[in-house]
Amino acid sequence: MKLSKDFIAHQSGDDFILVPTGTAKFSGIVKGNSTFGFIVESLKNDTSESEIVSALLEKFDAPEDVIKNNVHETINKLQGINAIEF
């Protein structure tokens, strides 16, 4: 899976913003924290949910089940706005 070319990712201070281009069906802005930003940045290259979880486990000191849940939830939300291509 990969971030759709219809979305642009931008970091502003501690916030991470995902903005649709004019061709996206979604209208709005998605704002998240550094974990969200890491997930979106990972999606700039073709990757899998498990690869993102593994990378986050190396970066953050958090329980694996919490990271898995956060990644899964974020990916589901991004799928819901068509921000991910398979």
Side-chain angles (χ1 to χ4, degrees):
M1 74 183 139
K2 191 173 179 179
L3 185 66
S4 169
K5 62 184 177 203
D6 294 336
F7 286 81
I8 299 170
H10 176 72
Q11 185 172 357
S12 177
D14 292 336
D15 294 326
F16 201 87
I17 301 166
L18 190 61
V19 182
T21 64
T23 58
K25 294 179 182 176
F26 175 75
S27 176
I29 295 175
V30 181
K31 183 177 165 185
N33 61 16
S34 61
T35 304
F36 173 77
F38 188 92
I39 293 168
V40 171
E41 287 295 320
S42 297
L43 289 166
K44 287 185 175 180
N45 298 306
D46 194 26
T47 190
S48 69
E49 189 169 328
S50 62
E51 289 173 325
I52 296 170
V53 169
S54 294
L56 279 169
L57 284 169
E58 290 180 21
K59 185 173 176 75
F60 295 104
D61 184 26
E64 185 174 353
D65 60 328
V66 171
I67 289 177
K68 281 183 178 180
N69 187 42
N70 287 342
V71 170
H72 186 73
E73 185 177 309
T74 300
I75 288 173
N76 281 341
K77 288 181 180 179
L78 292 173
Q79 282 178 304
I81 63 169
N82 297 313
I84 296 178
E85 298 174 344
F86 289 91

